[in-house]
Amino acid sequence: SYNIRKEQKIIKLHIKSNAFDIDSKNCAASRRSNSKEENIMSKTSAAASRQKLVRLVLTALLTALIIVMAFTPLGYLKAGAIEITFITIPVIIGAVLLGPVGGLFLGAVFGITSFIQCFGMSTFGVALFSVSPLRTAIVCIVPRVLMGWLTAVIFKAISSKDKTSFVQYLVASIAGPLLNTILFTGTLLLLFNNAPIIIQLKEQFGSTNVMAFAAAFVGVNGLIEAGVCAVLGTALCKALSVAMKKMKI
């Protein structure tokens, strides 16, 4: 009887010892699992912070570039009322790399700098401002905001179907200046069709028809802007996009 009780005690001790070992192993495995999860979360958080920082820096750089181009000969080719702008290029880059919100913001920056031009830096802008400052602000800003946003939307729609070629970059680069030309001209004729400067330009181009005048007024501008953006915009957007993907941004 004594030996039986002794054996039972030994068996119980073995069972407790085994249970303790199992618990220890489970705890160690749980700690390793938690450590892995913490490492993954830490890496994810660091990647998200880096991505946010890069986007902010890129937005700041493109904003600075727009401002520099707007107030130096880099941004415009001016000949009286005819103005050809290349500021659409940084807006397109932002729309492609930063998405609709980035495109909208940079378009707004472009529009505001365009409106500032009306304070003595643009012959055409000064003429519009003398008629109506409010309508001039709308003409300068709203089309550019829409242009930046729509360019990003178009790029996103195309890239969702084809992510392997440069077609989406080419289409976005051409869409930007065309949208800028169409939206600006449409808003201009809607708000200033009977303004003295527009009537004078209609006589100069020998056209009283709105559509014919619009085509004559911005036809050359639109083609030159689209051509330049198609080359530079496509190349820059593609290169920067590839670089950001390699950096896992």
Side-chain angles (χ1 to χ4, degrees):
S1 175
Y2 173 76
N3 290 334
I4 292 171
R5 286 197 300 271
K6 188 175 180 180
E7 288 177 359
Q8 289 176 343
K9 288 181 179 180
I10 291 171
I11 291 170
K12 288 180 179 179
L13 288 172
H14 278 299
I15 293 171
K16 289 181 179 180
S17 178
N18 290 334
F20 178 76
D21 289 341
I22 291 171
D23 288 340
S24 297
K25 291 178 180 178
N26 289 338
C27 288
S30 178
R31 284 196 296 271
R32 287 195 297 270
S33 177
N34 290 337
S35 178
K36 288 181 180 179
E37 289 178 359
E38 288 174 359
N39 288 335
I40 292 171
M41 290 178 64
S42 177
K43 289 180 180 179
T44 303
S45 177
S49 298
R50 185 177 65 175
Q51 184 180 28
K52 184 177 181 180
L53 178 61
V54 171
R55 290 174 66 87
L56 287 173
V57 171
L58 183 58
T59 301
L61 289 173
L62 290 172
T63 299
L65 180 59
I66 290 171
I67 293 171
V68 170
M69 291 180 72
F71 301 112
T72 65
L74 294 173
Y76 290 93
L77 288 177
K78 298 181 180 180
I82 305 299
E83 297 182 359
I84 299 172
T85 180
F86 304 118
I87 301 178
T88 49
I89 294 174
V91 178
I92 292 166
I93 293 172
V96 169
L97 300 180
L98 301 172
V101 175
L104 185 148
F105 173 77
L106 293 170
V109 175
F110 175 23
I112 291 170
T113 61
S114 178
F115 180 61
I116 294 173
Q117 296 275 333
C118 299
F119 293 87
M121 287 175 275
S122 167
T123 303
F124 187 61
V126 170
L128 295 179
F129 191 86
S130 65
V131 176
S132 171
L134 177 59
R135 282 182 284 165
T136 302
I138 294 172
V139 168
C140 290
I141 297 172
V142 174
R144 277 58 187 264
V145 171
L146 291 174
M147 180 270 290
W149 179 73
L150 287 172
T151 299
V153 171
I154 291 170
F155 174 79
K156 193 173 182 180
I158 297 174
S159 61
S160 64
K161 297 179 180 179
D162 182 12
K163 298 182 179 181
T164 59
S165 71
F166 71 96
V167 173
Q168 62 264 34
Y169 302 102
L170 177 62
V171 172
S173 297
I174 295 175
L178 290 181
L179 284 169
N180 179 58
T181 299
I182 293 169
L183 292 171
F184 175 80
T185 306
T187 309
L188 174 69
L189 294 178
L190 179 66
L191 299 180
F192 286 96
N193 189 44
N194 295 319
I197 182 65
I198 301 299
I199 294 174
Q200 181 182 344
L201 286 172
K202 286 180 179 179
E203 293 174 354
Q204 181 180 335
F205 284 100
S207 176
T208 56
N209 181 273
V210 173
M211 295 302 295
F213 166 72
F217 180 55
V218 298
V220 177
N221 299 36
L223 289 175
I224 294 175
E225 290 173 6
V228 173
C229 287
V231 176
L232 293 180
T234 302
L236 291 171
C237 288
K238 177 67 174 179
L240 290 171
S241 180
V242 170
M244 291 179 71
K245 286 178 181 178
K246 287 183 177 180
M247 294 170 62
K248 297 181 179 180
I249 297 173

